Amino acid sequence: MNNPLLEPFDQAPFSKIKNEDFKPAFLQAIEDARAEIDAIVANPEAPTFENTLEALDFSGQQLDRISSVFFNLNSAETNEEIQKIAQEVSPLLSEFGNDIILNEGLFQRVKSVYEQKDELNLTPEQATLLEKTYKKFSRNGANLKEEDKKRLRKIDAELAKLKLTFGENVLAETNKYELLLTNEQDVEGLPEGEKEAAEQLAQSRGKEGWLITLDYPSYIPFMKYAKNRDLRKKLSIAFGSKGFHNDKLDNQENVLKIVSLRHERANLLGYPTHANFVLEERMAETPEKVMDFLNELLEKAKPAAEREFQELEDFAKELDQIDRLEKWDSAYYSEKLKQKLFNLDDEKLKPYFKLENVINGVFKVAEMLFGLTFKEVSTIDKYHADVKTFEVYDDSNNFISLFYADFHPRPGKRGGAWMTSYKPQYIRNGKNSRPHISNVCNFTKPTSTKPSLLTFNEVTTLFHEFGHGLHGMLADTTYPSLSGTSVYWDFVELPSQIMENWCYEKEALELFAHHYQTGELIPMEYVEKIKDSATFQEGMATVRQLSFGFLDMAWHGTDPSGIKNVKAYETQAFENTSLFPETSETCMSTSFSHIFQGGYSSGYYSYKWAEVLDADAFAYFKERGIFNREISDRFKEHVLSKGGSENPMELYKRFRGAEPKIDALLERAGLLKSTG
Ligand SMILES: [Zn+2]
């Protein structure tokens, strides 16, 4: 039986794979990977860096290749059969992962090497691999006494259940709410398309009129456009009180249980708080540093936020004689004010951003910065006819990477945009094995009469994902687990976000932003408008983001045993960041899925942290020229090529010559304008 996934392969053999190949390939590859681990543990020789750490990092390669092909297909080109296989193999994979983490014999070998680390003369990358591997075990309790280990497992199981319940409650609250409007006056202000959507939604549920729900595509336009203030208030309170009704879907108890279990877990492992535990593996390192960061930004952003709030309130008073600006007025009057100030229309910009031109533009930027050339090659196997495939070379004509680009939506592809890889980069036996990188987006498809024309937002998305792509393509490390985008969470958005900056620069736009019919360059007044509108109400937006960061740290940076009332505690955490009058009916924490269900606990700050990094890094280019090869070479050498092989702050300082400062972000966000 030939299974293409079990043969050694370089390029992913998409056209040869049948769905029924996946399951047996997974089973076989897990068994093989298990045998590799067993061999490491059973090695009669004393543990060394090579026979334990290196061997472990290079184990399971076939399994990793199969997983990346399979799960990327499940995102970009799935079907019921693939989804069913995913349900079956996911538990097997997590079981295998757990078996490694809980493998006592393996841990003892890793620990024995770790204890000799100072005498081993390791390279910085080897030292990082040793540290990260050891921590993977110790942070999961490998050093604990038997009874503490048991307690840890119990906490983990309880937390998994609580997170699930938390999310299910939020979802149930979202799904059960309906606002049915039967009087056309009540949907006044909504654009035609939104009205139609609301009408169709009502019809689809056997109702007449216009149906509004708490799903974003329904909720957001209503808050932005609906003229009826009472209805906006009603919907806003419904949205803000998910999980806060003292009924069986209430999440207050779940919040308290989650934070107290996380705290206990951190204590068991020797950390004073959950935030200390999480931040140990982040660029920010400590809760104190995160709090300093949030406070420093708040101090700078608050005057602008208060000024913008006043401006918005004055505008609303003038327009509709409202008494005071409430939360449910914010989106509505902001939209009106924005229209008045900018009147910037996506349709006017789109002809300048034909997809092919933008792709050539981003390639040209990569050539000018990093000497890369992209050669379209039709012989590379692919999973769908829409996928474009390229070979990437450096300026000495060395092969650097394969690049897959999959830009248009279709059934079987999830929404959004992302970067992924089909093969990691690593160096083994002196051979540098180059990566296979992919960008997947959902841009409008061309028709027989019109090419694919991008909105400006889509242009920056393309540059963003391409930036992640460069991080993967230019990777140059020895160990696969440290390569490319395998970096700390608060560092991973630097290479992507920095690329977005080129979209606002005349020198870069000249390379590609030409009208698809006339060839005319985009007028610079449009670009100025784009920049201005991008910083519209940036003070308020910043303070809002910071408020979530403060709330996250309030829940995870202290001993929560004294907290009895979720709402009161939250109100206190919001004290320095609140602009709008307080609403007693709503509570953010009971539906704050990012931190209580997803993986963002003690990590919400990283959104702003990444912006500070990219603004500070790009300021260096602005000082020295946005296509200055000396600066881009430094960025490639110290950031893009290094992956997670060294401490990110050290890497950043080597590139920039100093730690990142918030000034460039404040400048870019227009937060330094004098008050007046
Ligand atoms: Zn990103």
Side-chain angles (χ1 to χ4, degrees):
M1 291 288 252
N2 272 358
N3 190 328
L5 290 164
L6 289 170
E7 309 286 322
F9 58 85
D10 181 51
Q11 288 172 24
F14 295 111
S15 64
K16 298 200 194 93
I17 307 169
K18 295 183 291 301
N19 284 341
E20 57 266 32
D21 292 331
F22 281 114
K23 184 103 183 266
F26 270 115
L27 292 173
Q28 183 64 51
I30 289 175
E31 199 175 305
D32 294 347
R34 216 182 272 282
E36 289 178 77
I37 303 281
D38 291 346
I40 296 171
V41 179
N43 191 335
E45 282 167 41
T48 63
F49 183 85
E50 285 71 24
N51 74 21
T52 301
L53 278 300
E54 203 166 274
L56 180 59
D57 209 56
F58 282 112
S59 74
Q61 280 195 314
Q62 192 74 4
L63 179 59
D64 290 343
R65 295 293 314 269
I66 296 167
S67 294
S68 70
V69 170
F70 178 76
F71 287 102
N72 284 328
L73 282 182
N74 193 32
S75 293
E77 181 65 9
T78 195
N79 54 51
E80 276 178 25
E81 221 176 311
I82 289 191
Q83 284 165 340
K84 193 169 157 274
I85 299 167
Q87 297 287 349
E88 288 168 21
V89 300
S90 294
L92 300 177
L93 290 169
S94 51
E95 189 192 323
F96 176 59
N98 280 334
D99 287 348
I100 295 180
I101 286 301
L102 300 177
N103 187 321
E104 184 58 30
L106 185 60
F107 175 62
Q108 287 311 326
R109 290 188 71 96
V110 170
K111 190 173 180 176
S112 138
V113 180
Y114 185 75
E115 280 164 353
Q116 315 158 40
K117 64 180 168 163
D118 297 330
E119 288 99 62
L120 295 176
N121 258 326
L122 300 176
T123 66
E125 184 179 349
Q126 290 174 327
T128 303
L129 184 70
L130 178 54
E131 183 79 25
K132 282 191 179 170
T133 309
Y134 176 78
K135 285 276 166 62
K136 220 166 130 184
F137 289 94
S138 70
R139 287 166 62 85
N140 271 291
N143 279 319
L144 295 182
K145 289 182 302 214
E146 216 31 61
E147 54 173 296
D148 288 344
K149 267 187 195 164
K150 262 192 206 145
R151 177 66 193 142
L152 194 77
R153 300 293 156 244
K154 188 137 190 280
I155 292 175
D156 283 343
E158 274 181 63
L159 273 173
K161 229 160 69 190
L162 280 165
K163 283 162 76 174
L164 209 63
T165 309
F166 184 97
E168 283 167 1
N169 287 351
V170 174
L171 187 66
E173 287 273 76
T174 308
N175 289 341
K176 85 176 199 191
Y177 184 85
E178 288 186 344
L179 178 64
L180 182 68
L181 305 170
T182 49
N183 186 341
E184 189 155 10
Q185 272 179 350
D186 289 339
V187 285
E188 196 184 334
L190 287 190
E192 273 316 306
E194 306 297 344
K195 255 164 87 170
E196 262 170 47
E199 203 171 0
Q200 276 168 17
L201 190 61
Q203 277 167 12
S204 75
R205 298 190 190 175
K207 293 176 177 160
E208 250 178 72
W210 297 266
L211 193 68
I212 312 297
T213 70
L214 299 182
D215 284 319
Y216 282 104
S218 177
Y219 172 75
I220 300 282
F222 195 85
M223 296 308 292
K224 223 162 154 178
Y225 299 111
K227 197 162 188 269
N228 187 322
R229 195 181 185 207
D230 291 334
L231 287 174
R232 286 203 314 267
K233 175 178 179 179
K234 197 170 166 184
L235 195 69
S236 163
I237 287 176
F239 190 87
S241 60
K242 283 177 284 186
F244 190 56
H245 294 118
N246 295 310
D247 56 9
K248 68 177 188 354
L249 298 178
D250 192 284
N251 267 336
Q252 292 172 83
E253 267 315 300
N254 293 329
V255 166
L256 293 176
K257 278 189 202 153
I258 289 171
V259 293
S260 100
L261 285 170
R262 281 175 176 168
H263 186 71
E264 187 190 344
R265 189 184 194 281
N267 286 172
L268 261 179
L269 292 168
Y271 300 85
T273 69
H274 178 68
N276 289 89
F277 169 76
V278 170
L279 293 166
E280 180 185 59
E281 298 205 315
R282 297 285 197 269
M283 190 177 176
E285 288 183 335
T286 62
E288 293 71 32
K289 190 132 189 206
V290 171
M291 290 303 287
D292 286 349
F293 169 76
L294 295 174
N295 278 314
E296 190 186 1
L297 255 181
L298 179 63
E299 191 191 314
K300 296 287 167 42
K302 199 152 182 204
E306 284 168 341
R307 195 165 66 240
E308 290 159 7
F309 181 86
Q310 197 53 55
E311 188 185 20
L312 191 63
E313 188 167 67
D314 292 346
F315 176 71
K317 278 182 177 164
E318 190 189 302
L319 206 65
D320 289 333
Q321 292 79 47
I322 63 162
D323 46 354
R324 61 174 197 180
L325 197 68
E326 301 276 1
K327 277 178 193 154
W328 42 90
D329 298 319
S330 177
Y332 179 76
Y333 289 107
S334 293
E335 180 61 25
K336 287 221 159 1
L337 184 58
K338 194 173 178 181
Q339 287 303 330
K340 189 183 143 190
L341 292 175
F342 302 108
N343 188 22
L344 190 69
D345 189 351
D346 260 341
E347 294 308 312
K348 254 198 305 216
L349 300 174
K350 278 162 80 172
Y352 298 96
F353 298 122
K354 185 172 129 178
L355 176 63
E356 286 72 13
N357 294 349
V358 181
I359 296 171
N360 288 334
V362 84
F363 286 172
K364 188 80 197 156
V365 169
E367 184 181 349
M368 291 169 78
L369 291 173
F370 308 113
L372 299 179
T373 46
F374 290 74
K375 194 172 123 203
E376 185 155 10
V377 181
S378 60
T379 50
I380 297 169
D381 201 343
K382 52 195 181 184
Y383 55 87
H384 191 277
D386 279 359
V387 180
K388 293 176 192 298
T389 45
F390 303 85
E391 283 171 0
V392 189
Y393 295 90
D394 69 9
D395 41 16
S396 313
N397 217 24
N398 299 308
F399 175 72
I400 293 298
S401 175
L402 286 187
F403 181 60
Y404 299 78
D406 178 1
F407 285 129
H408 303 298
R410 58 177 171 263
K413 183 169 172 181
R414 72 174 162 88
W418 62 95
M419 166 271 186
T420 183
S421 90
Y422 287 104
K423 175 172 177 283
Q425 175 275 333
Y426 56 87
I427 300 171
R428 199 166 197 198
N429 303 325
K431 189 178 169 288
N432 195 328
S433 179
R434 299 308 306 167
H436 300 168
I437 302 299
S438 171
N439 275 175
V440 189
C441 306
N442 278 284
F443 302 139
T444 313
K445 254 188 129 135
T447 65
S448 55
T449 54
K450 223 180 189 181
S452 172
L453 302 175
L454 306 189
T455 64
F456 187 71
N457 198 11
E458 289 174 325
V459 175
T460 56
T461 299
L462 192 148
F463 272 69
H464 179 106
E465 296 311 330
F466 189 75
H468 284 308
L470 288 170
H471 204 181
M473 287 182 247
L474 291 169
D476 198 14
T477 62
T478 302
Y479 303 109
S481 74
L482 302 177
S483 177
T485 54
S486 307
V487 300
Y488 284 162
W489 198 329
D490 52 1
F491 193 59
V492 74
E493 295 298 330
L494 168 61
S496 52
Q497 286 181 190
I498 194 173
M499 290 309 293
E500 295 180 35
N501 290 283
W502 272 266
C503 302
Y504 296 88
E505 296 294 324
K506 182 163 182 277
E507 252 183 291
L509 287 165
E510 277 170 356
L511 302 172
F512 67 93
H514 295 275
H515 196 287
Y516 81 102
Q517 286 163 318
T518 66
E520 173 214 10
L521 177 67
I522 189 169
M524 281 306 131
E525 53 171 309
Y526 287 5
V527 180
E528 284 310 312
K529 264 195 179 181
I530 294 170
K531 279 192 202 174
D532 287 346
S533 70
T535 61
F536 174 65
Q537 290 188 341
E538 190 61 26
M540 276 167 74
T542 300
V543 168
R544 191 178 134 86
Q545 282 291 98
L546 294 175
S547 75
F548 300 153
F550 279 114
L551 182 61
D552 175 23
M553 292 307 288
W555 282 120
H556 297 113
T558 45
D559 175 354
S561 58
I563 308 170
K564 299 282 172 267
N565 184 313
V566 172
K567 171 73 179 177
Y569 189 69
E570 170 177 307
T571 307
Q572 194 189 321
F574 279 156
E575 204 178 281
N576 294 325
T577 52
S578 60
L579 293 164
F580 291 88
E582 172 57 25
T583 327
S584 63
E585 302 100 307
T586 60
C587 182
M588 164 93 195
S589 300
T590 53
S591 64
F592 199 174
S593 302
H594 265 79
I595 65 168
F596 291 120
Q597 183 196 2
Y600 269 87
S601 64
S602 313
Y604 205 90
Y605 76 92
S606 51
Y607 286 108
K608 276 287 152 201
W609 182 272
E611 281 182 47
V612 166
L613 287 183
D614 95 76
D616 186 70
F618 188 67
Y620 198 23
F621 280 98
K622 285 285 273 186
E623 281 160 29
R624 306 283 297 274
I626 65 164
F627 289 114
N628 184 320
R629 266 309 276 271
E630 191 198 323
I631 308 302
S632 54
D633 282 345
R634 293 175 73 95
F635 192 64
K636 175 172 139 185
E637 188 189 338
H638 300 303
V639 177
L640 295 176
S641 72
K642 288 285 192 296
S645 63
E646 288 185 61
N647 178 300
M649 188 61 92
E650 292 309 313
L651 294 178
Y652 190 84
K653 286 197 295 202
R654 253 177 259 159
F655 154 65
R656 185 65 164 105
E659 286 202 8
K661 290 189 274 298
I662 68 170
D663 307 49
L665 175 66
L666 298 175
E667 169 82 38
R668 185 176 76 189
L671 297 176
L672 292 178
K673 282 176 210 151
S674 60
T675 39

